[in-house]
Amino acid sequence: MSQDITRPGTVAASQQDGQQVDSQDGQHGDAFENLLHENRKFAPSKEFKASAVVTEADYAESEAGRPAFWAKKARELLTWNKDFTEALDWSNPPFAKWFVGGEVNAAYNALDRHVENGLGDRVAIYFEGEPGDTRQYTYAQLTQEVKKAANAFESLGVAKGDRVAVYLPMIPEAVITLLACARIGAVHSVVFGGFSADALRSRIDDAEAKLVVTADGTYRRGKPSALKPAVDEALANDGHTVQNVVVVKRNGQDVDWHTDRDLWWDDTVGTASAEHTAVGHDSEHPLFILYTSGTTGKPKGILHTTGGYLTQGAYTHKAVFDLHPETDVYWCTADVGWVTGHTYVAYAPLVNGATQVMYEGTPDSPHQGRWWEIVEKYKVSILYTAPTAIRTFMKWGRDIPDKYDLSSLRLLGSVGESINPEAWMWYRDVIGGNKTPIVDTWWQTETGAQMIAPLPGVTATKPGSAQVPLPGIAVDVVDEMGESVPDGHGGFLVIREPWPSMLRGIWGDPERFKETYWSRFESMYFAGDGAKKDEDGDIWLLGRVDDVMNVSGHRLSTTEIESALVSHPAVAEAAVVGAADETTGQAVVAFVILRGDAVDSGDEIVQELRNHVGKEIGPIAKPKNILVVPELPKTRSGKIMRRLLKDVAEGREVGDATTLSDNTVMQQIATSLRK
Ligand code: PRX
């Protein structure tokens, strides 16, 4: 594993150009000293302080005993069918058990109990389709739909513990499907709609899914965009475990039909009974699998279970967004294909009884003010989005959001990558009317819920920093030896104690779970991120220190894209790097060596290779640039020096190349690229 610790691209471009440090060269201390000193701070307003849902007291309480703190939250925030007897069982690390012996139903907690408590008429979801169609579900209506879906899935033979693959756009049926699975104890595995048929098939196979839920398609920038054909292609070859495909009719596109397998949602869910009793499932019963990129070619099926995941999701959603469910309108823009769309769209807001907006489309459809129109229309008060979106809006100009009434917004959140201070300030000034706190939230698919973030009624917020571990979370920054670094220094982000929403493993591969997260530092979870504690002790995230890229807040593996490239007959070798990009944070740049008999047809081969990656993994993984080169820089042991390629991709002077096995390689690359 390479251990480069690099300042995130966008900040690097503005303030700290070229602060790339190779810790293997033992130089990283100095560069961290030079990192930006951020002096701006925004203290919580009187209103926030006065009405904060979570106060400073939670920090002290959790310090007194984390498992006890979480046990209290679990009982406060969830309704248990059977109370648990032990908060945490950590007798077999790294395999944790939270709320041992307890039984709970996620769907009951997200739905039925609110109806039973007289909140049936509260709007759960305001849905805004890309073409402008709208739907609205109250808690009572959503409960009915989920009960119907639960009955329908059961009638198709889906039982507790079975896996269901979900390949759906951002439509209410996605949330309904997830909750219906949770209700009956089936384990959902959502595959983002931007992944290809091949990627879908490998995930179906890995989880041995019995059912696939999909749609004919969706809309993208005003045009229909198909999904069902990818499912058909994925299932074209025998040897899979899928018995049925349930298809939501969304955009009315013609689809191929396999009568032995395919069923319309309206004919199955639509006709099912709306009576369904939710039974409690064990607190450690698997809730979902979500595949994410790692440092090898094979995506990891991250496994989450029920009680701990729901507790930390609900707590953080309340605490970090200062949620007042009676009055707030909450909107998280994340797609349900990513973990943010799981925790902060499908589960936590509903468990907390919130009213939320769900939007199907892109921010520029049919015009670049679409999001702000939605904020104005629904009087959104809490908005949670990603830095890449904010930077895109900055590029489009403030006159677009300025046309809308955004005064309902009272809190803004950020997730997915570091938000550079310029974007943070713009977000606060232009979108937040210079009054909203900004909560930058650090977490991962693996952590299940937010881990580092300010609390809006407590913390003075600081542009660019995710700041402080949440109550009940033991985050630290350590050096190579695993020793905690003092304030003002950088190192590796670790988590020292188990937390309720932690991953319980990698589906079917316990060894990989131990090796990936628990072997770098003894008794600590290693997150894969570099971080710095500033002079105030606030945490700054510095990007991945492994071979994982972050493109528009989405995780992509360099190795996975390299394998896709070399699977093309024209490619002999490939190396992929994430190069700093002003809008997307990082962009995929590939260096390829063509096979001797392949013709370098310039643009044509580049386009073909981009499409090939699109087919193998999905459009989101297509490299922005592909550079055909005669050689790749390697150490004497044969390891590709991606650091040097990154210098080339970012247009920088190439760094120290003395460990190259052939020291003319960088010259050869430079010459070939000048041609
Ligand atoms: O590198 C960190 C970055 O995103 C990675 C996790 O990606 P994923 O599992 O796809 O989850 C994204 C949404 C939770 C982390 O290892 N990351 C996430 N949030 C932040 C961040 N980097 C800096 N600041 C953040 N707020």
Side-chain angles (χ1 to χ4, degrees):
M1 183 176 66
S2 108
Q3 293 182 336
D4 288 357
I5 300 182
T6 314
R7 195 82 180 113
T10 44
V11 177
S14 64
Q15 305 267 356
Q16 293 290 323
D17 211 6
Q19 287 291 352
Q20 184 180 20
V21 186
D22 191 337
S23 60
Q24 284 163 333
D25 298 344
Q27 309 165 336
H28 70 264
D30 288 353
F32 282 121
E33 298 307 324
N34 298 333
L35 286 175
L36 164 113
H37 288 275
E38 179 58 66
N39 295 319
R40 290 169 293 196
K41 269 196 176 185
F42 298 87
S45 66
K46 276 204 198 88
E47 289 145 276
F48 261 98
K49 270 190 160 155
S51 65
V53 175
V54 168
T55 66
E56 219 154 352
D58 274 17
Y59 290 112
E61 202 184 319
S62 65
E63 283 305 309
R66 289 190 185 85
F69 168 80
W70 285 117
K72 186 171 161 205
K73 295 297 166 201
R75 292 192 177 104
E76 268 171 27
L77 294 163
L78 302 180
T79 306
W80 294 79
N81 293 65
K82 185 172 155 214
D83 194 17
F84 48 89
T85 51
E86 195 187 354
L88 167 67
D89 175 357
W90 190 234
S91 57
N92 180 28
F95 300 94
K97 288 188 185 145
W98 280 90
F99 312 130
V100 183
E103 286 179 8
V104 64
N105 188 293
Y108 175 81
N109 275 276
L111 301 164
D112 312 44
R113 64 169 178 160
H114 301 312
V115 181
E116 290 167 12
N117 291 336
L119 300 176
D121 291 337
R122 182 182 285 173
V123 174
I125 297 178
Y126 287 117
F127 170 68
E128 178 88 13
E130 199 193 77
D133 58 320
T134 58
R135 270 190 269 167
Q136 149 178 338
Y137 291 85
T138 62
Y139 271 92
Q141 290 166 332
L142 197 63
T143 306
Q144 289 249 313
E145 293 306 312
V146 169
K147 286 179 174 178
K148 286 160 81 174
N151 280 322
F153 296 169
E154 279 181 336
S155 73
L156 295 175
V158 178
K160 183 165 172 170
D162 285 343
R163 273 79 59 204
V164 175
V166 181
Y167 192 62
L168 279 170
M170 272 305 272
I171 54 177
E173 286 81 355
V175 173
I176 294 168
T177 299
L178 267 46
L179 292 173
C181 289
R183 190 174 188 93
I184 62 179
V187 184
H188 56 76
S189 162
V190 181
V191 180
F192 175 59
F195 281 117
S196 67
D198 289 359
L200 174 62
R201 173 64 185 258
S202 66
R203 286 157 175 79
I204 287 173
D205 286 349
D206 189 70
E208 299 176 288
K210 199 170 194 179
L211 175 71
V212 178
V213 184
T214 189
D216 47 0
T218 177
Y219 297 91
R220 271 286 165 275
R221 300 203 162 78
K223 294 200 193 77
S225 158
L227 280 169
K228 172 82 168 33
V231 177
D232 293 336
E233 196 185 325
L235 301 181
N237 292 329
D238 288 345
H240 60 74
T241 45
V242 175
Q243 293 175 1
N244 288 107
V245 178
V246 171
V247 188
V248 178
K249 190 171 269 176
R250 170 61 191 143
N251 68 8
Q253 271 186 304
D254 276 345
V255 289
D256 286 344
W257 206 251
H258 300 258
T259 45
D260 54 332
R261 183 184 80 197
D262 298 346
L263 298 153
W264 286 110
W265 174 280
D266 285 344
D267 297 340
T268 42
V269 178
T271 57
S273 154
E275 296 298 320
H276 188 279
T277 306
V279 299
H281 300 298
D282 191 276
S283 177
E284 283 299 330
H285 183 66
L287 184 64
F288 67 85
I289 307 168
L290 185 58
Y291 288 84
T292 187
S293 297
T295 51
T296 70
K298 189 172 180 282
K300 303 174 284 199
I302 302 299
L303 173 67
H304 283 285
T305 60
T306 311
Y309 173 80
L310 292 178
T311 300
Q312 194 176 328
Y315 173 71
T316 53
H317 183 253
K318 239 186 182 142
V320 174
F321 298 131
D322 188 46
L323 181 79
H324 292 262
E326 327 71 48
T327 46
D328 275 317
V329 177
Y330 163 84
W331 180 21
C332 167
T333 65
D335 191 281
V336 73
W338 307 105
V339 74
T340 310
H342 282 57
T343 310
Y344 296 104
V345 177
Y347 288 104
L350 298 171
V351 168
N352 286 337
T355 296
Q356 69 175 321
V357 170
M358 183 175 193
Y359 172 55
E360 178 185 27
T362 53
D364 54 354
S365 192
H367 56 78
Q368 294 176 336
R370 184 69 190 268
W371 276 23
W372 316 121
E373 194 175 76
I374 293 174
V375 168
E376 180 179 290
K377 177 173 173 186
Y378 295 103
K379 299 201 170 30
V380 172
S381 57
I382 302 169
L383 177 70
Y384 190 30
T385 192
T388 184
I390 298 159
R391 291 193 298 265
T392 303
F393 295 128
M394 284 172 78
K395 216 164 55 186
W396 291 346
R398 73 170 294 157
D399 51 316
I400 297 172
D402 278 351
K403 283 191 220 134
Y404 299 88
D405 178 5
L406 306 181
S407 59
S408 55
L409 288 169
R410 63 178 200 91
L411 185 125
L412 301 172
S414 175
V415 62
E417 57 176 309
S418 294
I419 172 162
N420 45 308
E422 301 90 312
W424 196 103
M425 289 303 297
W426 190 93
Y427 196 25
R428 181 179 161 100
D429 283 346
V430 177
I431 306 304
N434 200 16
K435 67 176 192 341
T436 53
I438 300 210
V439 287
D440 176 11
T441 61
W442 178 89
W443 60 294
Q444 309 177 296
T445 305
E446 291 87 341
T447 69
Q450 296 162 349
M451 303 290 280
I452 308 176
L455 289 184
V458 180
T459 325
T461 55
K462 186 188 274 183
S465 168
Q467 300 196 281
V468 280
L470 286 167
I473 301 299
V475 167
D476 201 359
V477 181
V478 299
D479 64 17
E480 294 273 343
M481 304 307 294
E483 300 291 335
S484 188
V485 302
D487 289 351
H489 288 77
F492 303 94
L493 190 73
V494 296
I495 305 166
R496 287 186 175 276
E497 304 278 340
W499 63 103
S501 62
M502 66 194 279
L503 75 165
R504 299 300 196 266
I506 294 176
W507 185 256
D509 202 345
E511 280 312 309
R512 191 173 176 201
F513 170 57
K514 289 192 215 164
E515 162 64 29
T516 309
Y517 304 106
W518 302 92
S519 66
R520 177 70 180 80
F521 301 105
E522 203 185 328
S523 308
M524 290 183 236
Y525 169 89
F526 174 43
D529 282 12
K532 184 204 179 211
K533 291 183 199 163
D534 70 11
E535 300 297 345
D536 301 328
D538 282 326
I539 297 172
W540 293 69
L541 278 308
L542 305 176
R544 302 287 306 193
V545 296
D546 53 15
D547 295 334
V548 171
M549 295 170 289
N550 188 328
V551 179
S552 300
H554 298 150
R555 242 157 102 167
L556 293 170
S557 147
T558 51
T559 333
E560 202 180 342
I561 300 177
E562 285 165 4
S563 320
L565 284 165
V566 294
S567 73
H568 188 280
V571 176
E573 266 193 272
V576 165
V577 297
D581 184 280
E582 248 188 42
T583 309
T584 58
Q586 286 190 310
V588 181
V589 177
F591 293 80
V592 296
I593 303 177
L594 296 180
R595 281 185 192 277
D597 53 354
V599 187
D600 179 0
S601 52
D603 287 352
E604 211 174 293
I605 184 75
V606 165
Q607 198 45 43
E608 191 176 320
L609 292 178
R610 290 186 77 241
N611 291 340
H612 181 71
V613 173
K615 185 183 167 313
E616 291 285 310
I617 306 174
I620 51 162
K622 281 185 183 178
K624 185 173 176 194
N625 288 324
I626 297 184
L627 307 170
V628 177
V629 291
E631 272 306 333
L632 290 172
K634 289 185 188 152
T635 60
R636 267 166 227 118
S637 61
K639 187 173 175 315
I640 294 173
M641 292 186 73
R642 290 204 181 80
R643 175 167 64 82
L644 300 178
L645 293 174
K646 203 164 160 153
D647 290 342
V648 174
E650 293 177 354
R652 248 198 320 267
E653 181 111 352
V654 172
D656 182 5
T658 46
T659 50
L660 280 180
S661 64
D662 171 357
N663 58 17
T664 68
V665 166
M666 293 317 291
Q667 193 52 45
Q668 289 179 46
I669 291 177
T671 313
S672 77
L673 296 179
R674 270 199 296 272
K675 274 196 232 145

PDB file of all heavy atoms in Angstrom, residues 292 339-340 415-418 440-446 527 529 541 544 550 553 555, ligand 1:
ATOM      1  N   THR A 292     -18.447  -1.406  -1.976  1.00  0.00           N
ATOM      2  CA  THR A 292     -17.648  -0.201  -2.134  1.00  0.00           C
ATOM      3  C   THR A 292     -16.265  -0.599  -2.624  1.00  0.00           C
ATOM      4  O   THR A 292     -15.839  -1.737  -2.450  1.00  0.00           O
ATOM      5  CB  THR A 292     -17.585   0.592  -0.812  1.00  0.00           C
ATOM      6  OG1 THR A 292     -16.936   1.837  -1.057  1.00  0.00           O
ATOM      7  CG2 THR A 292     -16.839  -0.146   0.275  1.00  0.00           C
ATOM      8  N   VAL A 339     -23.958   5.122   0.434  1.00  0.00           N
ATOM      9  CA  VAL A 339     -24.305   4.947   1.848  1.00  0.00           C
ATOM     10  C   VAL A 339     -25.069   6.154   2.402  1.00  0.00           C
ATOM     11  O   VAL A 339     -25.958   5.999   3.245  1.00  0.00           O
ATOM     12  CB  VAL A 339     -23.048   4.616   2.695  1.00  0.00           C
ATOM     13  CG1 VAL A 339     -22.166   5.837   2.889  1.00  0.00           C
ATOM     14  CG2 VAL A 339     -23.449   3.984   4.017  1.00  0.00           C
ATOM     15  N   THR A 340     -24.760   7.340   1.909  1.00  0.00           N
ATOM     16  CA  THR A 340     -25.467   8.524   2.419  1.00  0.00           C
ATOM     17  C   THR A 340     -26.965   8.406   2.124  1.00  0.00           C
ATOM     18  O   THR A 340     -27.801   8.787   2.941  1.00  0.00           O
ATOM     19  CB  THR A 340     -24.882   9.812   1.803  1.00  0.00           C
ATOM     20  OG1 THR A 340     -23.463   9.769   1.951  1.00  0.00           O
ATOM     21  CG2 THR A 340     -25.430  11.046   2.474  1.00  0.00           C
ATOM     22  N   VAL A 415     -20.744  16.444   2.821  1.00  0.00           N
ATOM     23  CA  VAL A 415     -20.245  15.072   2.994  1.00  0.00           C
ATOM     24  C   VAL A 415     -19.571  14.550   1.730  1.00  0.00           C
ATOM     25  O   VAL A 415     -19.912  14.982   0.632  1.00  0.00           O
ATOM     26  CB  VAL A 415     -21.397  14.094   3.356  1.00  0.00           C
ATOM     27  CG1 VAL A 415     -22.439  14.004   2.275  1.00  0.00           C
ATOM     28  CG2 VAL A 415     -20.862  12.690   3.678  1.00  0.00           C
ATOM     29  N   GLY A 416     -18.653  13.640   1.900  1.00  0.00           N
ATOM     30  CA  GLY A 416     -18.104  12.902   0.764  1.00  0.00           C
ATOM     31  C   GLY A 416     -16.641  13.163   0.512  1.00  0.00           C
ATOM     32  O   GLY A 416     -15.917  12.308   0.041  1.00  0.00           O
ATOM     33  N   GLU A 417     -16.206  14.376   0.792  1.00  0.00           N
ATOM     34  CA  GLU A 417     -14.804  14.728   0.647  1.00  0.00           C
ATOM     35  C   GLU A 417     -14.602  16.025   1.417  1.00  0.00           C
ATOM     36  O   GLU A 417     -15.587  16.652   1.843  1.00  0.00           O
ATOM     37  CB  GLU A 417     -14.438  14.922  -0.831  1.00  0.00           C
ATOM     38  CG  GLU A 417     -15.297  15.969  -1.481  1.00  0.00           C
ATOM     39  CD  GLU A 417     -14.905  16.272  -2.912  1.00  0.00           C
ATOM     40  OE1 GLU A 417     -13.729  16.536  -3.157  1.00  0.00           O
ATOM     41  OE2 GLU A 417     -15.800  16.254  -3.755  1.00  0.00           O
ATOM     42  N   SER A 418     -13.359  16.445   1.537  1.00  0.00           N
ATOM     43  CA  SER A 418     -13.118  17.699   2.236  1.00  0.00           C
ATOM     44  C   SER A 418     -13.773  18.831   1.477  1.00  0.00           C
ATOM     45  O   SER A 418     -13.757  18.854   0.247  1.00  0.00           O
ATOM     46  CB  SER A 418     -11.621  17.971   2.307  1.00  0.00           C
ATOM     47  OG  SER A 418     -11.014  17.011   3.104  1.00  0.00           O
ATOM     48  N   ASP A 440     -19.650  20.017   8.379  1.00  0.00           N
ATOM     49  CA  ASP A 440     -18.898  19.131   7.485  1.00  0.00           C
ATOM     50  C   ASP A 440     -18.807  17.796   8.212  1.00  0.00           C
ATOM     51  O   ASP A 440     -18.307  17.729   9.332  1.00  0.00           O
ATOM     52  CB  ASP A 440     -17.509  19.733   7.234  1.00  0.00           C
ATOM     53  CG  ASP A 440     -16.641  18.821   6.390  1.00  0.00           C
ATOM     54  OD1 ASP A 440     -17.154  17.838   5.829  1.00  0.00           O
ATOM     55  OD2 ASP A 440     -15.423  19.106   6.287  1.00  0.00           O
ATOM     56  N   THR A 441     -19.302  16.755   7.566  1.00  0.00           N
ATOM     57  CA  THR A 441     -19.431  15.474   8.255  1.00  0.00           C
ATOM     58  C   THR A 441     -18.507  14.436   7.637  1.00  0.00           C
ATOM     59  O   THR A 441     -18.628  14.115   6.467  1.00  0.00           O
ATOM     60  CB  THR A 441     -20.879  14.968   8.135  1.00  0.00           C
ATOM     61  OG1 THR A 441     -21.196  14.792   6.750  1.00  0.00           O
ATOM     62  CG2 THR A 441     -21.865  15.947   8.743  1.00  0.00           C
ATOM     63  N   TRP A 442     -17.586  13.904   8.421  1.00  0.00           N
ATOM     64  CA  TRP A 442     -16.720  12.836   7.911  1.00  0.00           C
ATOM     65  C   TRP A 442     -17.266  11.486   8.347  1.00  0.00           C
ATOM     66  O   TRP A 442     -17.562  11.271   9.522  1.00  0.00           O
ATOM     67  CB  TRP A 442     -15.284  12.984   8.429  1.00  0.00           C
ATOM     68  CG  TRP A 442     -14.427  11.842   7.926  1.00  0.00           C
ATOM     69  CD1 TRP A 442     -13.721  11.811   6.750  1.00  0.00           C
ATOM     70  CD2 TRP A 442     -14.245  10.558   8.536  1.00  0.00           C
ATOM     71  NE1 TRP A 442     -13.113  10.583   6.601  1.00  0.00           N
ATOM     72  CE2 TRP A 442     -13.414   9.796   7.679  1.00  0.00           C
ATOM     73  CE3 TRP A 442     -14.703   9.972   9.711  1.00  0.00           C
ATOM     74  CZ2 TRP A 442     -13.025   8.486   7.968  1.00  0.00           C
ATOM     75  CZ3 TRP A 442     -14.324   8.660  10.007  1.00  0.00           C
ATOM     76  CH2 TRP A 442     -13.478   7.928   9.139  1.00  0.00           C
ATOM     77  N   TRP A 443     -17.358  10.604   7.400  1.00  0.00           N
ATOM     78  CA  TRP A 443     -17.698   9.206   7.695  1.00  0.00           C
ATOM     79  C   TRP A 443     -17.477   8.388   6.445  1.00  0.00           C
ATOM     80  O   TRP A 443     -16.967   8.908   5.438  1.00  0.00           O
ATOM     81  CB  TRP A 443     -19.117   9.088   8.240  1.00  0.00           C
ATOM     82  CG  TRP A 443     -20.247   9.567   7.365  1.00  0.00           C
ATOM     83  CD1 TRP A 443     -20.489  10.855   6.980  1.00  0.00           C
ATOM     84  CD2 TRP A 443     -21.306   8.781   6.809  1.00  0.00           C
ATOM     85  NE1 TRP A 443     -21.629  10.912   6.216  1.00  0.00           N
ATOM     86  CE2 TRP A 443     -22.151   9.668   6.097  1.00  0.00           C
ATOM     87  CE3 TRP A 443     -21.632   7.434   6.846  1.00  0.00           C
ATOM     88  CZ2 TRP A 443     -23.294   9.219   5.409  1.00  0.00           C
ATOM     89  CZ3 TRP A 443     -22.766   6.998   6.181  1.00  0.00           C
ATOM     90  CH2 TRP A 443     -23.584   7.888   5.476  1.00  0.00           C
ATOM     91  N   GLN A 444     -17.828   7.115   6.461  1.00  0.00           N
ATOM     92  CA  GLN A 444     -17.558   6.211   5.336  1.00  0.00           C
ATOM     93  C   GLN A 444     -18.666   5.162   5.229  1.00  0.00           C
ATOM     94  O   GLN A 444     -19.393   4.942   6.209  1.00  0.00           O
ATOM     95  CB  GLN A 444     -16.269   5.417   5.582  1.00  0.00           C
ATOM     96  CG  GLN A 444     -15.068   6.221   5.950  1.00  0.00           C
ATOM     97  CD  GLN A 444     -13.887   5.320   6.245  1.00  0.00           C
ATOM     98  OE1 GLN A 444     -13.916   4.542   7.188  1.00  0.00           O
ATOM     99  NE2 GLN A 444     -12.844   5.419   5.447  1.00  0.00           N
ATOM    100  N   THR A 445     -18.711   4.488   4.095  1.00  0.00           N
ATOM    101  CA  THR A 445     -19.613   3.346   3.959  1.00  0.00           C
ATOM    102  C   THR A 445     -19.414   2.408   5.157  1.00  0.00           C
ATOM    103  O   THR A 445     -20.370   1.893   5.731  1.00  0.00           O
ATOM    104  CB  THR A 445     -19.297   2.588   2.650  1.00  0.00           C
ATOM    105  OG1 THR A 445     -19.364   3.512   1.569  1.00  0.00           O
ATOM    106  CG2 THR A 445     -20.276   1.445   2.414  1.00  0.00           C
ATOM    107  N   GLU A 446     -18.170   2.226   5.526  1.00  0.00           N
ATOM    108  CA  GLU A 446     -17.843   1.288   6.598  1.00  0.00           C
ATOM    109  C   GLU A 446     -18.306   1.776   7.964  1.00  0.00           C
ATOM    110  O   GLU A 446     -18.632   0.972   8.836  1.00  0.00           O
ATOM    111  CB  GLU A 446     -16.320   1.069   6.669  1.00  0.00           C
ATOM    112  CG  GLU A 446     -15.728   0.320   5.489  1.00  0.00           C
ATOM    113  CD  GLU A 446     -15.353   1.219   4.322  1.00  0.00           C
ATOM    114  OE1 GLU A 446     -15.867   2.359   4.250  1.00  0.00           O
ATOM    115  OE2 GLU A 446     -14.551   0.788   3.486  1.00  0.00           O
ATOM    116  N   ALA A 527      -8.948   3.943   8.900  1.00  0.00           N
ATOM    117  CA  ALA A 527      -9.971   4.408   7.963  1.00  0.00           C
ATOM    118  C   ALA A 527      -9.460   4.549   6.534  1.00  0.00           C
ATOM    119  O   ALA A 527     -10.249   4.668   5.601  1.00  0.00           O
ATOM    120  CB  ALA A 527     -10.526   5.745   8.456  1.00  0.00           C
ATOM    121  N   ASP A 529      -7.703   7.148   5.576  1.00  0.00           N
ATOM    122  CA  ASP A 529      -7.576   8.586   5.318  1.00  0.00           C
ATOM    123  C   ASP A 529      -6.403   9.180   6.099  1.00  0.00           C
ATOM    124  O   ASP A 529      -6.129   8.767   7.222  1.00  0.00           O
ATOM    125  CB  ASP A 529      -8.840   9.331   5.788  1.00  0.00           C
ATOM    126  CG  ASP A 529      -9.997   9.189   4.813  1.00  0.00           C
ATOM    127  OD1 ASP A 529      -9.908   8.343   3.912  1.00  0.00           O
ATOM    128  OD2 ASP A 529     -10.975   9.936   4.951  1.00  0.00           O
ATOM    129  N   LEU A 541      -9.387  16.618   7.223  1.00  0.00           N
ATOM    130  CA  LEU A 541      -9.185  15.403   6.428  1.00  0.00           C
ATOM    131  C   LEU A 541      -8.312  15.729   5.230  1.00  0.00           C
ATOM    132  O   LEU A 541      -8.525  16.733   4.556  1.00  0.00           O
ATOM    133  CB  LEU A 541     -10.532  14.858   5.959  1.00  0.00           C
ATOM    134  CG  LEU A 541     -11.306  14.005   6.964  1.00  0.00           C
ATOM    135  CD1 LEU A 541     -10.420  12.887   7.502  1.00  0.00           C
ATOM    136  CD2 LEU A 541     -11.860  14.809   8.105  1.00  0.00           C
ATOM    137  N   ARG A 544      -7.395  10.255   0.854  1.00  0.00           N
ATOM    138  CA  ARG A 544      -7.047   8.846   1.044  1.00  0.00           C
ATOM    139  C   ARG A 544      -5.534   8.661   1.033  1.00  0.00           C
ATOM    140  O   ARG A 544      -4.822   9.357   0.316  1.00  0.00           O
ATOM    141  CB  ARG A 544      -7.656   8.000  -0.081  1.00  0.00           C
ATOM    142  CG  ARG A 544      -9.164   8.099  -0.199  1.00  0.00           C
ATOM    143  CD  ARG A 544      -9.897   7.399   0.885  1.00  0.00           C
ATOM    144  NE  ARG A 544      -9.508   6.012   1.010  1.00  0.00           N
ATOM    145  CZ  ARG A 544     -10.208   5.129   1.745  1.00  0.00           C
ATOM    146  NH1 ARG A 544     -11.307   5.497   2.370  1.00  0.00           N
ATOM    147  NH2 ARG A 544      -9.792   3.895   1.841  1.00  0.00           N
ATOM    148  N   ASN A 550     -11.342   9.580  -4.940  1.00  0.00           N
ATOM    149  CA  ASN A 550     -12.627  10.142  -4.557  1.00  0.00           C
ATOM    150  C   ASN A 550     -13.046  11.113  -5.661  1.00  0.00           C
ATOM    151  O   ASN A 550     -12.514  12.204  -5.774  1.00  0.00           O
ATOM    152  CB  ASN A 550     -12.477  10.861  -3.213  1.00  0.00           C
ATOM    153  CG  ASN A 550     -13.813  11.295  -2.664  1.00  0.00           C
ATOM    154  OD1 ASN A 550     -14.726  11.622  -3.415  1.00  0.00           O
ATOM    155  ND2 ASN A 550     -13.933  11.314  -1.351  1.00  0.00           N
ATOM    156  N   GLY A 553     -17.099  12.818  -4.727  1.00  0.00           N
ATOM    157  CA  GLY A 553     -17.577  12.206  -3.491  1.00  0.00           C
ATOM    158  C   GLY A 553     -17.847  10.714  -3.625  1.00  0.00           C
ATOM    159  O   GLY A 553     -18.351  10.098  -2.706  1.00  0.00           O
ATOM    160  N   ARG A 555     -16.403   6.842  -4.310  1.00  0.00           N
ATOM    161  CA  ARG A 555     -15.170   6.096  -4.170  1.00  0.00           C
ATOM    162  C   ARG A 555     -14.902   5.219  -5.365  1.00  0.00           C
ATOM    163  O   ARG A 555     -15.754   4.457  -5.782  1.00  0.00           O
ATOM    164  CB  ARG A 555     -15.323   5.202  -2.974  1.00  0.00           C
ATOM    165  CG  ARG A 555     -14.359   5.514  -1.944  1.00  0.00           C
ATOM    166  CD  ARG A 555     -14.951   5.014  -0.699  1.00  0.00           C
ATOM    167  NE  ARG A 555     -14.299   3.769  -0.383  1.00  0.00           N
ATOM    168  CZ  ARG A 555     -14.423   3.203   0.811  1.00  0.00           C
ATOM    169  NH1 ARG A 555     -15.181   3.728   1.715  1.00  0.00           N
ATOM    170  NH2 ARG A 555     -13.796   2.107   1.064  1.00  0.00           N
TER     171      ARG A 555
HETATM  172  O1  PRX B   1     -11.827   9.773   2.151  1.00  0.00           O
HETATM  173  C1  PRX B   1     -12.971   9.952   2.946  1.00  0.00           C
HETATM  174  C2  PRX B   1     -14.048  10.647   2.133  1.00  0.00           C
HETATM  175  O2  PRX B   1     -14.852   9.631   1.597  1.00  0.00           O
HETATM  176  C3  PRX B   1     -14.397   8.351   2.025  1.00  0.00           C
HETATM  177  C4  PRX B   1     -15.573   7.453   2.257  1.00  0.00           C
HETATM  178  O3  PRX B   1     -16.249   7.268   1.054  1.00  0.00           O
HETATM  179  P1  PRX B   1     -17.623   6.503   1.008  1.00  0.00           P
HETATM  180  O4  PRX B   1     -17.491   5.232   1.752  1.00  0.00           O
HETATM  181  O5  PRX B   1     -18.042   6.430  -0.404  1.00  0.00           O
HETATM  182  O6  PRX B   1     -18.617   7.396   1.825  1.00  0.00           O
HETATM  183  C5  PRX B   1     -18.881   8.700   1.409  1.00  0.00           C
HETATM  184  C6  PRX B   1     -20.011   9.286   2.217  1.00  0.00           C
HETATM  185  C7  PRX B   1     -19.943   9.076   3.660  1.00  0.00           C
HETATM  186  C8  PRX B   1     -13.603   8.639   3.279  1.00  0.00           C
HETATM  187  O7  PRX B   1     -12.687   7.607   3.550  1.00  0.00           O
HETATM  188  N1  PRX B   1     -14.882  11.543   2.945  1.00  0.00           N
HETATM  189  C9  PRX B   1     -16.163  11.354   3.314  1.00  0.00           C
HETATM  190  N2  PRX B   1     -16.613  12.437   3.993  1.00  0.00           N
HETATM  191  C10 PRX B   1     -15.605  13.306   4.063  1.00  0.00           C
HETATM  192  C11 PRX B   1     -14.488  12.741   3.406  1.00  0.00           C
HETATM  193  N3  PRX B   1     -13.307  13.374   3.323  1.00  0.00           N
HETATM  194  C12 PRX B   1     -13.216  14.582   3.889  1.00  0.00           C
HETATM  195  N4  PRX B   1     -14.231  15.193   4.531  1.00  0.00           N
HETATM  196  C13 PRX B   1     -15.440  14.607   4.640  1.00  0.00           C
HETATM  197  N5  PRX B   1     -16.436  15.229   5.250  1.00  0.00           N
END
